[in-house]
Amino acid sequence: MEQVLQPIVEAIKSGKKVTFFQGAGISTNAGIPDFRSPKTGLYANLAKLNLPYAEAVFDIDYFRENPKAFYTLASELFPGKFMPTKYHYMLKLFQDKKVLKRVYTQNIDTLERLAGVDDEFIVEAHGSFANCHCIDCHNEMSTEELKRHINDKKDSIPICAKCKGYVKPDIVFFGEALPEKLFEKWDEDEDEIELAIVAGTSLTVHPFAGLPEQLHRKTHRLLINKEPVGSFKHNKSTKDIVLLEDCDKVLLLLCELLGWEKELESLIEKD
Ligand code: CNA
């Protein structure tokens, strides 16, 4: 594995900045289940919610009719219960070392922020739990109030004080528009990305899944995932590197090859 990572190490040492594209797999080591891993993924464990189909739990039309399914799940996933992983702290270290260009994440767990990555580097392509609004009149509810509903008032659905519509966190459901920031930053970054690390994602949710594929063929791309996915499976370029490994394990090795392991340790200890 050390040898395979050498082109990435050299590219970083020569000053190339890294753009990350990531998904639920980077947070499984924090104890948050992903969607699609067999047996452990959320979709494999939704029987108790009696859904017509697994994705319904994140479908805006289904939510209008039956918000309880989402809120049952939200009580398990709500930020505050989980700590960032070594992978998340590596993102912060890349930022400190000034070799981070951007982090495009599908995750809604905000662990990148908790590890100390600044807002300017983060694109939460599917939104996050950071803000909450009424699905009808868009009136805001504070995250603290929503959290109280989830934690203290079991089985109660947060209702808008203005119009009595259902309130939900600003995570993007199937059938909803993606955040403007995704398009703005992608327009800014697309032609400048020289080095991309894609990790912990099945690359099945579009348009996010198509982003790594749109990179110019001269971009160095590294996939760290438990299974081959997307264009790394069907349309690999000769410069692509695929490591079917645990993402923490690979980033830790990358960190060692760059000679940064002591700094990573002290970053984690400090927290
Ligand atoms: P997914 O479809 O569940 O795919 C996860 C991928 O990660 C799979 O290919 C796994 O093989 C791989 N994987 C799992 N664990 C590891 C690991 N330790 N190291 C390397 N690879 C691993 O998830 P996607 O993110 O691709 O799907 C997009 C959805 C998932 C987004 O809309 C998210 O909002 C949503 N999601 C987010 C979270 C979270 O915020 N932590 C949790 C669950 C789902």
Side-chain angles (χ1 to χ4, degrees), residues 113-139:
R113 291 177 190 277
L114 214 59
V117 181
D118 293 338
D119 180 68
E120 64 181 289
F121 291 106
I122 303 176
V123 177
E124 283 155 338
H126 296 165
S128 80
F129 279 92
N131 298 295
C132 314
H133 288 92
C134 167
I135 59 168
D136 292 324
C137 74
H138 306 292
N139 190 36

Side-chain angles (χ1 to χ4, degrees), residues 22-29 32-38 40-43 58 77 88 105-111 126-127 129 171-172 174 199-205 208 224-229 243-249:
Q22 57 204 31
I26 67 148
S27 292
T28 53
N29 289 327
I32 307 175
D34 64 8
F35 272 176
R36 293 176 184 82
S37 281
T40 55
L42 281 174
Y43 284 163
F58 292 113
L77 292 181
H88 292 98
T105 184
Q106 296 169 95
N107 292 348
I108 50 176
D109 56 33
T110 63
L111 291 184
H126 296 165
F129 279 92
I171 59 178
V172 181
F174 296 109
T201 171
S202 59
L203 289 181
T204 47
V205 180
F208 188 98
I224 316 168
N225 211 54
K226 294 218 170 141
E227 54 182 349
V229 289
L243 286 172
L244 302 183
E245 294 278 355
D246 176 80
C247 56
D248 279 18
K249 183 177 157 191

Side-chain angles (χ1 to χ4, degrees), residues 71-238:
Y71 275 108
T72 305
L73 196 64
S75 64
E76 289 171 27
L77 292 181
F78 207 83
K81 292 185 176 171
F82 304 98
M83 286 296 290
T85 63
K86 285 184 178 148
Y87 180 106
H88 292 98
Y89 284 110
M90 269 295 279
L91 301 176
K92 159 77 170 141
L93 190 57
F94 274 50
Q95 172 182 289
D96 293 350
K97 294 280 184 186
K98 307 214 179 313
V99 294
L100 183 65
K101 180 162 182 65
R102 202 82 67 195
V103 178
Y104 287 88
T105 184
Q106 296 169 95
N107 292 348
I108 50 176
D109 56 33
T110 63
L111 291 184
E112 296 90 355
R113 291 177 190 277
L114 214 59
V117 181
D118 293 338
D119 180 68
E120 64 181 289
F121 291 106
I122 303 176
V123 177
E124 283 155 338
H126 296 165
S128 80
F129 279 92
N131 298 295
C132 314
H133 288 92
C134 167
I135 59 168
D136 292 324
C137 74
H138 306 292
N139 190 36
E140 187 160 2
M141 176 184 275
S142 75
T143 313
E144 286 66 38
E145 194 179 341
L146 187 108
K147 208 168 168 180
R148 273 198 297 279
H149 266 278
I150 290 180
N151 292 338
D152 306 342
K153 305 180 189 171
K154 294 272 178 262
D155 289 341
S156 91
I157 308 297
I159 299 285
C160 173
K162 251 169 116 184
C163 79
K164 308 283 177 232
Y166 293 133
V167 174
K168 80 167 191 45
D170 292 351
I171 59 178
V172 181
F173 278 26
F174 296 109
E176 288 192 300
L178 297 173
E180 274 302 308
K181 189 175 178 183
L182 169 64
F183 302 102
E184 281 166 24
K185 293 300 173 196
W186 183 249
D187 275 352
E188 234 176 79
D189 295 346
E190 185 182 0
D191 293 332
E192 293 177 0
I193 295 173
E194 296 179 292
L195 186 49
I197 296 183
V198 181
T201 171
S202 59
L203 289 181
T204 47
V205 180
H206 286 271
F208 188 98
L211 300 183
E213 201 172 341
Q214 287 174 46
L215 297 174
H216 198 281
R217 299 286 280 184
K218 75 174 189 223
T219 305
H220 279 284
R221 299 192 316 167
L222 164 64
L223 172 74
I224 316 168
N225 211 54
K226 294 218 170 141
E227 54 182 349
V229 289
S231 55
F232 292 92
K233 195 171 167 186
H234 303 296
N235 189 18
K236 232 174 113 193
S237 120
T238 48

Side-chain angles (χ1 to χ4, degrees), residues 93 97 255 258-268:
L93 190 57
K97 294 280 184 186
C255 186
L258 288 161
W260 297 349
E261 66 270 38
K262 288 251 152 42
E263 284 149 285
L264 181 67
E265 267 168 38
S266 61
L267 205 60
I268 296 172

